Every structure is written in C-alpha cells, then in structure tokens.
Amino acid sequence: MTGDVAYASGGRVVLLDVDSGRERVLVEDNGYDRPLVWLPDGRRLVHWNHAGGAWDLWSIDVESGEHVNLTRSADDSRSAVGSPDGRWIAWMKGGAGTWVMRSDGTGGHAVHDLGHRDAPPAWSPSSQRLVLTHLEDGSMSLHLVELADGTVTATKELGRGEAVAFVDESRLLVLAYLGDTYDLVIVDVDSGEREPVTRNEAFEGAVALSPARDRIAFVESDDSGSRLVALELGNDETRVLAEVEGTYSPPSFSSDGEFLVYESGPRGEMRVHAVRFDGGAVPIELTSAGATTPVWRPAAR
C-alpha cells in the first residue's frame, strides 16, 4: 500500500505518506475541518477556509507550498470538484447556486441558480456535463448542465436524488428513495431511465466511485449499526469491509482502486483507517485521534 492521503485534523490539513507513516502539515490554520478535494493531476489540494468571515476555496500546491485563495469573496464558497480534464472547478456558492471557474481561480461565473451548498456537483468524464443537487422542501432534486468551454448550452431536470458521480458520459450514480429506503441508483441522463444498484432495508450514504469508475464503496446503516460496504458495478453481491462509527465523509479510493481510506470513531476522536477493497485483510489505523475527511492523492499525470 503506497501513496499519499490528505486529511483534516484540528484546523490543520495534513499529508500522510501511507507507506512510511511520515506526515507533513500543509495548512496550519484552516480553522474548521471540512471536506478536502484533490484536483485531478494530484498536484493541488482544495480546501475551505473561513478566515475572511465566510467560506472561501483555497488551493495548496503540495510540492511548492504555494497557497492561493481561489474565490477571494468570503461569500460561502464550498463543495468544490475539479473537472476530469483539469481545466475547471465547479463549486457551490451559498444561496447563489452552482458556479464554475478555471482551475487557477479566474473566470468564476454562475452556471445554475440552484444547488445545495453541501452537495458537491458531479462532472462527466468529458468535462462537458455537470449534475448538481438541489434541496427544497426536504427533497433532493437533480439538475443537468451542459457546458462548452465553461459556457452553459443547455439545462435539464433529472428528477429526485442526490448526485454521486458519473459512471460514464450518460450514466450517473445517485442516491435516491426506492419506496421507503434510500438506495444507490444509476440514472441515464439522456433517457431518464433508472436502474437500482442496491435495494435493501438499510440506508445508504457516504458513497465513493473508484477512479476507473467500476467499483463503489459506501456506508450502509440500519438498527444494528453502520458498515463500510464494497460493490463492483455489474455485480449485485456486496461485501462488508469494516464496521464504522460516526462516518460522514465518503471513503476515498487509491489510484489503482485496490485500497480505501475512511474516517471512523466517536466525534472528536475519529481516526483515518485503510482497508483493501477485496476485504483480504483487516483494516488498519493510519492516524491518531482527531483525523477526518481523508482523500487519497491521485496518481500524477
């Protein structure tokens, strides 16, 4: 098991070499622990910072240490996701909908007036489609935005659900109610057809798709507790990888899809753990208490 994992801990952003166990603090004074996201080339990590009185999105170049305020607005900017081609970042801007900007922070503009601030949008593999999640009257709805060089060419409502990630250019993995249960569903954004991936009495959440878009990991909860579960697309058989506690952030896949990191533990005492996707070994703790929101660094392009 090799590679780097970034995580948040007590207002710091830390980079961990999972092979050696060496840690390096990337950001000392982030204030609050919030989700982290790598840009696709694995060079820069984006985090939320509250230093200006409201959230801005900052990037840190992990090699040079360059630390840049991308949004420069103190206007509740959060939930960023980089486009697969590396050119764009989509993010949620408080009550001002869904925005995109170039990856260097320039050219920020709104692409939709809807969007839930804590629900990251999902990019298609071509970087020409973006799906956002909107919350209204307690119900989540999906909205497709078609883009050409960052400019909106069309929009479309896709029905109820919470966006996770595109499986391919037309199929989107979402969380949605099937009857009384919250399950994983694949929505065809062109035809509107829906195909259940899971269908059980448990509540699914905190979902991750592997870099190759063929493996899924998620947290399944019911009266007996919560579990980290693995599933290969096209195969209905699920596999429990670990019992988890208090997990909010989704797990994160290694670049080869063979390993996962995830948070688990009582609030204030969470630790980052690693486990094999095939379940062939017991999970191991990678950090001391107080570590959350782990994200595995993508392989360099």
Side-chain angles (χ1 to χ4, degrees):
M1 183 172 59
T2 60
D4 295 330
V5 171
Y7 67 89
S9 178
R12 301 179 305 153
V13 178
V14 181
L15 187 67
L16 166 69
D17 182 317
V18 297
D19 183 33
S20 67
R22 289 192 298 268
E23 293 186 334
R24 176 160 56 101
V25 176
L26 300 177
V27 180
E28 282 279 6
D29 55 351
N30 203 37
Y32 303 91
D33 294 341
R34 291 295 185 271
L36 308 170
V37 61
W38 288 100
L39 295 187
D41 63 5
R43 289 180 49 203
R44 290 187 296 151
L45 183 73
V46 175
H47 66 96
W48 314 358
N49 188 293
H50 206 269
W55 296 111
D56 267 315
L57 296 171
W58 290 66
S59 73
I60 176 77
D61 186 306
V62 297
E63 302 306 329
S64 71
E66 182 183 23
H67 197 200
V68 178
N69 186 342
L70 297 172
T71 47
R72 305 178 301 280
S73 63
D75 194 20
D76 203 24
S77 296
R78 55 175 79 197
S79 301
V81 182
S83 63
D85 65 7
R87 298 180 60 208
W88 302 94
I89 297 172
W91 85 98
M92 314 312 297
K93 195 171 182 180
T98 305
W99 288 54
V100 301
M101 61 183 160
R102 295 183 184 90
S103 61
D104 63 1
T106 61
H109 60 280
V111 295
H112 207 292
D113 59 356
L114 299 181
H116 181 40
R117 65 183 190 172
D118 291 326
W123 287 100
S124 71
S126 72
S127 304
Q128 295 179 355
R129 289 177 150 181
L130 189 68
V131 172
L132 61 102
T133 304
H134 182 64
L135 175 64
E136 187 172 3
D137 298 329
S139 182
M140 296 281 196
S141 59
L142 301 162
H143 303 265
L144 172 69
V145 179
E146 304 269 7
L147 297 164
D149 197 28
T151 299
V152 178
T153 60
T155 62
K156 179 182 178 181
E157 187 172 352
L158 300 175
R160 299 302 182 190
E162 180 181 354
V164 175
F166 274 88
V167 175
D168 53 37
E169 197 61 21
S170 62
R171 294 187 301 155
L172 177 73
L173 183 66
V174 307
L175 285 162
Y177 277 102
L178 295 175
D180 295 330
T181 62
Y182 206 48
D183 284 288
L184 283 165
V185 178
I186 288 179
V187 176
D188 188 306
V189 300
D190 294 314
S191 69
E193 293 181 1
R194 294 188 168 217
E195 174 189 353
V197 176
T198 61
R199 196 156 197 162
N200 54 45
E201 297 300 320
F203 184 95
E204 271 75 48
V207 187
L209 186 67
S210 67
R213 304 178 189 265
D214 60 350
R215 293 178 165 186
I216 304 171
F218 58 94
V219 174
E220 176 184 88
S221 302
D222 56 23
D223 292 342
S224 66
S226 298
R227 302 163 291 280
L228 180 65
V229 177
L231 175 68
E232 296 198 37
L233 278 174
N235 184 345
D236 294 338
E237 184 178 348
T238 59
R239 179 171 56 254
V240 174
L241 301 180
E243 302 293 323
V244 297
E245 179 183 0
T247 300
Y248 171 77
S249 296
S252 178
F253 278 92
S254 59
S255 293
D256 60 9
E258 296 298 323
F259 293 91
L260 289 152
V261 286
Y262 62 97
E263 63 183 20
S264 181
R267 287 297 174 189
E269 299 180 22
M270 280 190 169
R271 289 172 166 82
V272 173
H273 306 254
V275 67
R276 293 184 62 93
F277 179 84
D278 65 11
V282 297
I284 60 171
E285 286 186 5
L286 297 180
T287 68
S288 56
T292 65
T293 67
V295 283
W296 214 303
R297 186 179 184 180
R301 292 183 179 177

